[in-house]
Amino acid sequence: MPHSEYPSGSAPLCKAYTDYAKAYASGHDLGEVTNIKASFSTPNLNALTHQCGQSRIWGGMHFNASIPVGYALVDGLGKVGFDRMQLIHRENKLNKHMALR
């Protein structure tokens, strides 16, 4: 599938996902994750972002410079998404008759 090389479109997805997960995890005890099968391990979410971005280079889709620029495009977006979901959740608790189904 043809796509632009610069900036990476996949790197922003990696970063936004892990930023959202970090925001979620900051308020929750995630405990041990046992039901996930993965072919790799990562020590933390920052390393996951890095590994995800690097996979675009390993696969030959992007050059090195494309990844950090892709990250910069969505800096803070994961936290904004998490905050928005928290707002929706609070509003649904206040307005149970308007809760999404």
Side-chain angles (χ1 to χ4, degrees), residues 6 21 28 36 56 61 65 76 89 96-97 99:
Y6 184 88
H28 295 79
I36 295 176
R56 311 311 294 167
M61 277 74 79
H89 181 69
K96 288 192 182 269
H97 67 283

Side-chain angles (χ1 to χ4, degrees), residues 1-22:
M1 173 168 83
H3 65 284
S4 68
E5 189 285 315
Y6 184 88
S8 169
S10 301
L13 296 174
C14 301
K15 179 158 177 34
Y17 169 78
T18 54
D19 285 352
Y20 184 95
K22 282 192 262 186

